[in-house]
Amino acid sequence: MAQSNNLHVVDWSKIPEPIDDGGTRHLMDLRVPSISLVATSGATVDLAAVAGRVVVYAYPRTGVPGQIGLVDDWDMIPGARGCTPQSCAFRDHFSDLKLAGADAVFGLSTQDADYQREMVERLHLPFPVLSDAALALVQAMRLPTLGVGGQTLIKRLAWVQDAGVIKRVFYPVFPPDQNAADVLAWLKDNRRS
């Protein structure tokens, strides 16, 4: 099945909503482990060492319009559909997130940086996306995953960290295009003094 253009409006009522399986309960107040990840900018990023308030949103995988999808029933996997709308929402709210106190914003997936770079360029994302293709961060943080088409993918989530310590986790995320607005609302309600 060819990958559709995900930039059109999605009727989320036709997409199965993910349930809270408790997969992130252990993340609150967790110190992010020191693991270097390749960013789409070409830099290496260690989230534990990024100063200030950092927003990280994780997603299963993005497809490339016109290419074959990972599996035919992708949209029916709870929480799978919506990576592009989620990323576009963080792009569209990027300035507001910064004004509300985010010192940095990162996307995160298990796709390699070259694959991610195509998406960053196509969607004009103003922030880097991090590759955890080796699953080092996923395993160290015990992030919730799903196995699809022989690949290990991160379930959709987001977190806000201060000085490397997680202060808020958003999980499950649904609908994905509202995730950035939810993070922004939290940032506004929880400004640092």
Side-chain angles (χ1 to χ4, degrees):
M1 169 183 256
Q3 189 75 12
S4 63
N5 183 344
N6 288 327
L7 295 178
H8 65 279
V9 176
V10 177
D11 181 354
W12 296 112
S13 69
K14 298 184 186 303
I15 306 294
E17 184 171 346
I19 59 165
D20 188 349
D21 59 5
T24 62
R25 286 191 192 122
H26 65 284
L27 295 178
M28 281 301 295
D29 298 318
L30 177 80
R31 179 162 294 285
V32 176
S34 180
I35 295 173
S36 294
L37 301 172
V38 176
T40 52
S41 64
T44 308
V45 175
D46 178 351
L47 289 170
V50 179
R53 180 163 272 187
V54 177
V55 172
V56 178
Y57 75 94
Y59 59 89
R61 73 183 300 277
T62 55
V64 177
Q67 289 190 3
I68 301 297
L70 186 58
V71 292
D72 284 343
D73 60 348
W74 177 258
D75 286 0
M76 294 299 103
I77 300 169
R81 174 74 188 267
C83 302
T84 297
Q86 183 186 24
S87 293
C88 288
F90 275 95
R91 175 199 65 204
D92 295 346
H93 286 294
F94 180 69
S95 296
D96 294 328
L97 291 163
K98 299 283 277 181
L99 286 171
D103 296 303
V105 175
F106 296 99
L108 173 69
S109 80
T110 59
Q111 294 168 294
D112 68 49
D114 288 335
Y115 192 100
Q116 294 170 329
R117 198 169 290 113
E118 181 281 329
M119 182 264 305
V120 167
E121 291 170 3
R122 175 171 38 93
L123 300 179
H124 308 287
L125 300 185
F127 50 81
V129 175
L130 307 176
S131 172
D132 190 17
L135 304 176
L137 189 69
V138 165
Q139 292 170 354
M141 292 181 66
R142 298 186 351 254
L143 296 178
T145 61
L146 60 142
V148 180
Q151 296 182 21
T152 300
L153 309 174
I154 304 170
K155 288 185 178 181
R156 189 177 320 284
L157 66 115
W159 74 77
V160 177
Q161 64 184 57
D162 285 330
V165 177
I166 296 178
K167 296 301 179 184
R168 177 66 162 93
V169 178
F170 299 82
Y171 179 83
V173 169
F174 193 82
D177 61 349
Q178 291 300 307
N179 187 211
D182 293 341
V183 172
L184 177 60
W186 186 89
L187 289 173
K188 287 179 175 179
D189 289 343
N190 295 275
R191 293 188 185 270
R192 292 172 293 172
S193 46

